[in-house]
Amino acid sequence: MLRETLLIFLSLFFFGYADPAPKCTRNSSFIDFESDFIMVQHQLRGHFKIIDDCSFRVSQFDMLSGSDVHWWGAIDTDFDNFTNGGFIVSDHKLNHTYANLTFVVQLMKNVTWDMIPVLSVWDIPTASNFGHVLIQNITTKNDGGEEKEKRKVSVHTEPTMFDNCKVLSKDFRVRWSLNLKEDSIEIGLEGATGVMNYMAFGWANPNATDSELMIGADVAVTGFKEDGLPFVDDFFITKYSECVKNSEDGSVEGVCPDSIYEGPDRVGLVNDTRLIYGHRSDGVSLVRYKRPLSQVDGKYDQSVVQSANMTVIWALGKMRAPDTVLPHYLPQNHGGLPFETFGHLVLNVSQNVNDCKGPLDAGDKEDQDVIIADAKVPLVVSTGPALHYPNPPNPAKILYINKKEAPVLRVERGVPVTFSIQAGHDVALYITTDPIGGNATLRNLTETIYAGGPEAHGVQASPTELVWAPDRNTPDQIYYHSVYEKKMGWRVEVVDGGLSDMYNNSVVLDDQQVTFFWTLSKDSISIAARGEKKSGYLAIGFGSGMINSYTYVGWVDDNGVGRVNTYWIDGQDASSIHLTQENLTHVRCKTENGMITLEFTRPLVPSCSRGKRPECNNIIDPTTPLKVIWAMGSRWSNEHLTERNMHTVTSSRPILVQLMRGSAEAEQDLLPVLAVHGFMMFLAWGILLPGGILAARYLKHLKGDNWYKIHVYLQYSGLAIIFLALLFAVAELRGFHVSSTHVKFGIAAIVLACIQPANAFLRPPKQSNGEQPTLKRIIWEYLHIIVGRSAIFVGIAALFTGMKHLGDRYALENVHGLTWAMIIWFLVGALSIAYFEYREKQQARDRIFGRGNWVLGNEEDDSIDLLSPTIPLSTNKESQASARMEVQLEPLNR
C-alpha cells in the first residue's frame, strides 16, 4: 500500500505538476463548468472542470501517449474547424502516458474561455483528436420565466466514465455505476481483445458449487457485429458447452441466450439487458449496458443484492456469427491462453473500487482492413463515405481501396504496385511521407513524394493507372492521400519481399477477399493463399462448390503453431468433411493482423492409384482451368469437427484459374442462349447436313429430281441454322474470340460449309450422250465431295469440343451424358452408312450376274450430275442394260 501511494505521489509530482495560477479573476460565465471528456482515441478519459478565467483542472485522466500532443481549442468539432481553425491554448504538453492522474492546466495569457467552445487533446503531427469537451452555456429561467445569467451549472457525463472499476485480467476490466433509485446497475466491459471476440460477465447461481459455477449463471455477452455496431445479449447457462439446438424437438442447451429458451416471440420479454453505448478504439472494446438489480425474470436471471458479496464469472473468447439454425452471436468454448481467458471472483457492487490504474494498452491496435498489394493485380482506388476512419477527425469523403475503407496498404520492396485511380477528378492520389496529406507545402512543411501527384486522377469510365515500385530506400511507413484534401487516406506499410516474389503467378479470387498464388514445376505445384480480412481459419478448395471438393484448411492452433490439413467434402454438414492424407511438403501457415496465409507444395498427380482413396483422384491438369473456391471462419480444430467449425463467409462462385497462362476468370452459369446455340449446331451438323449428303448418295431412286430437292433444302437449311447459331453465340458473349479449340474447329467447319454453295454455283456442265466428262468436271466432283465430307467431319469435331468446353467452363453435370449420346448418335449413323454401302455393292454384283435391281437406286447413277435438276430418264447405256436384264429374266421353255 505504501509503495502504491509513493508511486502515485511521484506521478503527481512529475506529471501532474503545473505552475501555480497567478491571481486570476472568476468573471467568466463558464466558471465551475464540469464535464467528462469524450473519448475519441488513445483511450483518453477523465473529468474536466474550469477553476477560473485562466485555468482548469483535469482529474482521473487516462491517455496513451502520442507524438506531440497539446491542449487545442476550436470553434466546433467538425473537420475543417479542428484542422484549419484550431490553435494551441496552453503551454502544457501531454507527451507521455497518463494513468488516473489529476493536475491543473494554465491557459495562455491571450486565451479566454469564450474563444474555445471546444477543448481538445490534439496530436499535431497526425492531426489527431484524442478526446475533447464541449464548453457550452445553458440559459436558465427564474420562476417568472425571465432568463437568468447564462451559466453552465450541470455536469455533462460520458458513457466511458464509471464510478467503479475492477481488473479481471491484464486485458479485461469491468466498470460499473449503481442507480439504486431505478433498481439498476450500468456495467461497462472493457477488453483489449480481437474485434471478432466476445466479452462476457455475469452472476453465478448462489447455490452452485465452485466446480460448477457456470451452471445456472446469468451472463451478459457483448461484442461487435460485422458492421461495427455493438450488441449485448442476456444468456443463461445450462451446460458446459456451446449453445446446441436439438434438431428433433427444437430444444437448446449450453451457453444460450434467454430468448432461445422461450422462442423468438419473447425476445423483448426475457432479455433484461439494454445496450447504452459501445465503441472500439486502439484495439480495445468497450460496451456499456444496463440491467436491473432485483426485478428480474426469476427463471433465467439472477437477482443482484447490491450490498452482498456475490460470485461473478467472466470470459473472453472467440465468437461465432449468426446462422440459420441459431441466429445469434454465440460464444465459443474458451480453452486457455493465449487466445481465451476466463475466471471468477467475489464482488460487492456497493463498495467503491477503482484498481484500474491507467488505460488498457492493446498489443494490436489496428482494426483497419489490410490490403496486401500484388504486382499483377491493380488496386482500385475510389471514394466513399467515412464510416470507421481510423484517425479522426476526418472529411466526410475518404479513399477506398478495393472497396475497403481507408485500409492499411502493405507493399513489398521491389514489387511494383499498380493503382487504378477511379476516385474522381477532384481527388488526386499521391504517396507521401506526410501523415496528413493534402499537400504539406501549403502548411509550410516538407514532404517526400514517392508517386502520384496532381495528374493522378480519374473516374470509373476512364481510370488513370499509376505504377509505383518501392525500393530498399523507401521508409517502413509512409501514407497514401489526396493532393487536394487532408486525411483522406491512411498508412502504407513497406515490408521486404514476400509471396509475390516467391511465386510466379497470382490472382484475386471471388469477392476480392482471398489472393491465390502458385508456381508450376514439372511434376508439382507450389500454392499459397492469403486472406484479405481477419478470420480464424482460411480454406481453399478445388471444385465448383463445397460439395465434392478437395479442400485445404490453414489455421493457427491454441499453441501458436500454424497448420494445414487436407479434406474431401461430400456434404453440407460437419460429418461430411473427411480428413485426407495428401502428400504435402513445404507446409507453412501464419497469421498476421488476424489474416491467415497458408502455403504448401503438392504433386500434380498423386502417387496412389486412382479410386483407392478420395485424395488419389485429386489430379491437377495444368492445361485445364482449375476451379478454386474459398471460405473463412472463426475457429478450426485438428480433432473432431462440429457445426461451429463451419464457415461464416465464403466465395459466391468458383474462379477458373488458368495455371499455364497465369490468369483467372469467374465461372458462370450456362447461358440459355449458349444452350440454344449448341442445340442448333447439333441440328445442323448432326442431322441436316449429313442428311443432305445421304440424300444425294442413296435417294436417287425417287421419281424425278426429288432427291436433288431434298439434298439442296437440307444443305441450305443447315447452313442457315449454322449462321443463326453463330450470331446467337457472338451476341451473347459480346465478341468473337478465337482462343479455344472449339472455336477453331467451328470456324474451320463454317468456312468449309460456305465453300459448297460457291462450288455448286461454279460447277462445269456435265457432258451428255455418254461422252467422257471433262477434266474440270472431274476435279469439281472430287472437290465437291471432299470439301463436303471434310466439313461434316470438322463440324462433328466442333460439336464434341464444344461439349468439352461447356464441361470445363460451366461444370455441367450432364455433359458426359450428352457427349455419350452424341457418340451413340454418330455411331448409329456410321453403321447405317456402312450397311447402305454394303447393300449397294451387293446390288452391283447382282446386276452383273442378272439378279435384278436394288430398290434404293442404280450404281450407274453415280455418274449423274448430283446438283442438276434436269436428269435424263434414260440413256443408251441404261436401255442396253435393261434389254440384257429382260432377256435374263425370261423363263426357259425349251
Side-chain angles (χ1 to χ4, degrees):
M1 184 65 182
L2 179 61
R3 181 181 179 183
E4 292 180 355
T5 303
L6 181 60
L7 288 175
I8 295 174
F9 174 77
L10 291 175
S11 298
L12 289 172
F13 181 79
F14 287 107
F15 302 131
Y17 175 76
D19 292 334
K23 292 182 179 180
C24 190
T25 60
R26 290 173 54 88
N27 297 326
S28 172
S29 60
F30 295 102
I31 302 302
D32 296 330
F33 167 84
E34 296 182 65
S35 174
D36 291 335
F37 279 94
I38 299 174
M39 179 190 295
V40 179
Q41 54 182 315
H42 278 244
Q43 296 303 298
L44 185 146
R45 58 162 49 90
H47 189 74
F48 168 86
K49 183 176 181 179
I50 296 178
I51 300 175
D52 49 37
D53 291 339
C54 50
S55 63
F56 60 93
R57 177 182 292 110
V58 177
S59 58
Q60 304 176 49
F61 189 69
D62 286 352
M63 188 192 76
L64 295 174
S65 64
S67 53
D68 187 13
V69 186
H70 294 261
W71 294 104
W72 189 264
I75 302 299
D76 205 345
T77 58
D78 62 276
F79 174 69
D80 287 336
N81 273 298
F82 261 134
T83 57
N84 299 326
F87 56 96
I88 297 174
V89 301
S90 174
D91 294 328
H92 185 275
K93 294 185 178 181
L94 303 108
N95 290 337
H96 55 81
T97 296
Y98 288 78
N100 199 26
L101 294 183
T102 299
F103 50 90
V104 175
V105 179
Q106 303 295 323
L107 296 179
M108 290 181 173
K109 293 181 179 180
N110 59 342
V111 176
T112 63
W113 291 116
D114 293 331
M115 300 168 56
I116 45 176
V118 179
L119 179 66
S120 168
V121 177
W122 186 263
D123 188 68
I124 293 179
T126 60
S128 300
N129 176 24
F130 291 179
H132 60 269
V133 293
L134 303 177
I135 304 174
Q136 298 175 342
N137 276 311
I138 290 183
T139 301
T140 60
K141 297 184 178 181
N142 57 23
D143 295 339
E146 298 178 351
E147 290 189 359
K148 296 171 57 179
E149 178 187 3
K150 291 183 178 180
R151 193 177 188 85
K152 180 66 176 174
V153 294
S154 61
V155 177
H156 173 73
T157 59
E158 276 293 308
T160 57
M161 297 293 291
F162 294 82
D163 297 335
N164 306 278
C165 183
K166 180 70 177 177
V167 174
L168 302 177
S169 73
K170 67 180 182 65
D171 294 324
F172 193 29
R173 298 171 176 179
V174 59
R175 300 176 183 268
W176 72 94
S177 296
L178 280 175
N179 190 337
L180 298 180
K181 292 183 179 180
E182 296 183 2
D183 188 46
S184 65
I185 181 172
E186 294 189 9
I187 298 173
L189 300 184
E190 185 180 34
T193 186
V195 68
M196 299 176 61
N197 291 359
Y198 71 88
M199 302 180 294
F201 177 84
W203 276 262
N205 187 341
N207 300 320
T209 62
D210 290 343
S211 60
E212 296 186 349
L213 287 176
M214 286 182 58
I215 304 301
D218 174 20
V219 177
V221 175
T222 67
F224 289 84
K225 305 176 184 178
E226 288 90 342
D227 56 7
L229 296 177
F231 75 90
V232 60
D233 210 344
D234 196 3
F235 276 64
F236 184 72
I237 302 176
T238 58
K239 186 179 179 181
Y240 280 91
S241 72
E242 297 180 23
C243 189
V244 179
K245 186 174 184 178
N246 191 314
S247 58
E248 296 180 359
D249 58 8
S251 61
V252 295
E253 62 179 0
V255 183
C256 300
D258 294 3
S259 57
I260 290 185
Y261 295 106
E262 292 293 327
D265 296 335
R266 290 177 53 83
V267 173
L269 300 179
V270 295
N271 187 358
D272 288 330
T273 59
R274 182 170 65 86
L275 179 68
I276 295 178
Y277 174 81
H279 80 210
R280 182 168 173 84
S281 176
D282 314 303
V284 177
S285 297
L286 173 65
V287 177
R288 181 169 184 154
Y289 65 94
K290 183 178 181 179
R291 62 151 289 169
L293 291 172
S294 59
Q295 298 179 4
V296 296
D297 175 17
K299 188 174 182 180
Y300 301 111
D301 296 311
Q302 300 292 341
S303 298
V304 178
V305 181
Q306 53 94 10
S307 60
N309 294 329
M310 303 184 69
T311 301
V312 295
I313 61 175
W314 58 270
L316 294 173
K318 295 288 185 181
M319 180 172 58
R320 191 177 77 185
D323 53 35
T324 55
V325 179
L326 295 172
H328 295 267
Y329 288 90
L330 300 175
Q332 294 183 331
N333 288 335
H334 44 69
L337 295 174
F339 301 105
E340 295 88 14
T341 53
F342 60 95
H344 67 276
L345 71 155
V346 176
L347 185 66
N348 187 329
V349 295
S350 64
Q351 295 180 351
N352 291 328
V353 179
N354 187 10
D355 56 7
C356 303
K357 307 302 181 184
L360 276 178
D361 192 358
D364 181 9
K365 296 181 175 62
E366 188 64 71
D367 280 342
Q368 290 299 105
D369 292 319
V370 178
I371 296 291
I372 301 177
D374 183 78
K376 299 183 179 180
V377 181
L379 300 173
V380 179
V381 181
S382 58
T383 57
L387 303 176
H388 305 287
Y389 188 75
N391 183 29
N394 50 269
K397 183 176 71 173
I398 61 175
L399 292 176
Y400 281 60
I401 297 182
N402 288 357
K403 300 181 180 180
K404 296 182 184 296
E405 178 187 1
V408 174
L409 178 59
R410 185 172 301 154
V411 301
E412 299 172 355
R413 292 182 174 90
V415 178
V417 181
T418 302
F419 298 92
S420 177
I421 305 173
Q422 308 173 12
H425 295 304
D426 60 338
V427 177
L429 181 72
Y430 79 126
I431 311 298
T432 174
T433 55
D434 181 32
I436 301 176
N439 195 347
T441 56
L442 298 178
R443 307 191 306 275
N444 298 321
L445 298 176
T446 59
E447 63 179 334
T448 301
I449 298 176
Y450 292 92
E455 71 286 351
H457 59 85
V459 294
Q460 186 174 8
S462 179
T464 295
E465 185 176 277
L466 173 65
V467 180
W468 167 52
D471 55 32
R472 62 189 184 91
N473 296 320
T474 306
D476 291 342
Q477 179 171 297
I478 50 181
Y479 302 86
Y480 63 93
H481 282 296
S482 169
V483 175
Y484 306 124
E485 179 69 86
K486 291 181 287 188
K487 298 185 73 173
M488 288 191 69
W490 190 225
R491 293 192 295 112
V492 179
E493 293 181 354
V494 184
V495 299
D496 292 332
L499 296 177
S500 297
D501 297 329
M502 297 166 58
Y503 294 88
N504 295 340
N505 307 280
S506 66
V507 295
V508 178
L509 300 183
D510 187 46
D511 293 335
Q512 297 182 339
Q513 301 296 326
V514 176
T515 305
F516 184 76
F517 303 83
W518 76 95
T519 296
L520 278 172
S521 58
K522 182 179 180 181
D523 299 317
S524 64
I525 181 172
S526 298
I527 292 174
R530 181 180 63 212
E532 305 296 348
K533 64 179 296 184
K534 296 182 179 181
S535 64
Y537 70 83
L538 170 63
I540 59 170
F542 300 155
S544 298
M546 179 180 71
I547 301 177
N548 297 328
S549 67
Y550 298 96
T551 304
Y552 305 83
V553 182
W555 80 102
V556 177
D557 63 18
D558 294 346
N559 298 319
V561 178
R563 297 181 178 274
V564 176
N565 276 1
T566 61
Y567 299 90
W568 161 251
I569 302 178
D570 57 8
Q572 294 184 341
D573 54 11
S575 62
S576 302
I577 304 176
H578 310 287
L579 182 67
T580 59
Q581 303 298 325
E582 287 196 34
N583 182 23
L584 302 185
T585 57
H586 303 96
V587 177
R588 291 192 297 175
C589 183
K590 64 179 181 179
T591 179
E592 189 173 3
N593 291 329
M595 295 182 296
I596 300 292
T597 299
L598 62 89
E599 300 177 71
F600 61 88
T601 300
R602 54 148 292 174
L604 294 174
V605 179
S607 58
C608 55
S609 301
R610 295 190 65 177
K612 187 176 182 180
R613 298 190 305 272
E615 62 267 26
C616 300
N617 299 322
N618 187 12
I619 298 174
I620 295 180
D621 181 4
T623 62
T624 302
L626 181 65
K627 301 181 182 69
V628 183
I629 57 177
W630 61 265
M632 297 183 193
S634 57
R635 183 178 177 86
W636 196 259
S637 173
N638 199 32
E639 300 174 352
H640 178 66
L641 299 174
T642 63
E643 301 300 329
R644 73 173 185 270
N645 302 119
M646 304 305 286
H647 56 71
T648 56
V649 60
T650 183
S651 55
S652 57
R653 58 183 176 178
I655 291 294
L656 300 177
V657 178
Q658 304 284 350
L659 297 176
M660 299 290 289
R661 296 191 317 203
S663 62
E665 59 182 348
E667 185 182 58
Q668 301 175 344
D669 295 331
L670 177 61
L671 303 175
V673 175
L674 295 184
V676 174
H677 163 83
F679 174 75
M680 294 175 70
M681 286 298 188
F682 172 76
L683 182 63
W685 293 107
I687 298 177
L688 297 179
L689 296 179
I693 293 178
L694 294 178
R697 178 70 175 166
Y698 301 117
L699 296 183
K700 289 193 286 272
H701 66 283
L702 298 179
K703 293 181 179 181
D705 59 351
N706 289 335
W707 71 268
Y708 172 79
K709 293 179 180 179
I710 295 174
H711 170 76
V712 173
Y713 292 158
L714 289 178
Q715 298 301 92
Y716 280 103
S717 297
L719 197 59
I721 291 176
I722 286 173
F723 278 106
L724 189 60
L726 177 64
L727 290 177
F728 282 170
V730 171
E732 186 64 32
L733 297 178
R734 299 180 181 179
F736 196 82
H737 308 285
V738 185
S739 57
S740 66
T741 305
H742 167 66
V743 176
K744 294 174 182 178
F745 271 115
I747 292 175
I750 292 174
V751 170
L752 292 173
C754 291
I755 292 175
Q756 289 297 78
N759 189 12
F761 179 77
L762 299 174
R763 72 186 184 279
K766 182 182 181 298
Q767 300 298 110
S768 60
N769 300 324
E771 296 181 5
Q772 291 294 329
T774 64
L775 179 61
K776 291 183 178 180
R777 177 71 184 193
I778 294 174
I779 294 175
W780 176 85
E781 288 184 355
Y782 276 106
L783 181 63
H784 188 67
I785 294 173
I786 293 172
V787 171
R789 295 177 181 178
S790 299
I792 292 297
F793 285 115
V794 177
I796 292 174
L799 290 177
F800 282 101
T801 55
M803 294 300 297
K804 184 177 184 302
H805 183 70
L806 288 179
D808 294 339
R809 185 179 182 90
Y810 299 103
L812 297 180
E813 297 179 357
N814 56 348
V815 163
H816 293 294
L818 293 175
T819 302
W820 277 107
M822 283 203 308
I823 292 174
I824 294 173
W825 171 263
F826 288 114
L827 183 60
V828 170
L831 292 176
S832 300
I833 293 172
Y835 174 73
F836 291 152
E837 289 294 320
Y838 169 76
R839 289 301 303 268
E840 188 175 3
K841 295 183 182 300
Q842 186 70 30
Q843 161 68 17
R845 287 196 297 269
D846 289 345
R847 284 200 303 270
I848 293 173
F849 295 104
R851 296 178 185 175
N853 293 327
W854 184 36
V855 69
L856 288 181
N858 194 314
E859 175 69 20
E860 296 180 17
D861 286 342
D862 289 344
S863 64
I864 298 175
D865 184 2
L866 300 181
L867 297 177
S868 176
T870 58
I871 302 173
L873 297 178
S874 63
T875 63
N876 293 334
K877 184 183 268 188
E878 290 170 341
S879 301
Q880 296 172 4
S882 299
R884 288 197 302 270
M885 287 187 290
E886 186 176 332
V887 172
Q888 292 173 352
L889 292 175
E890 289 181 353
L892 298 175
N893 296 323
R894 295 179 182 180

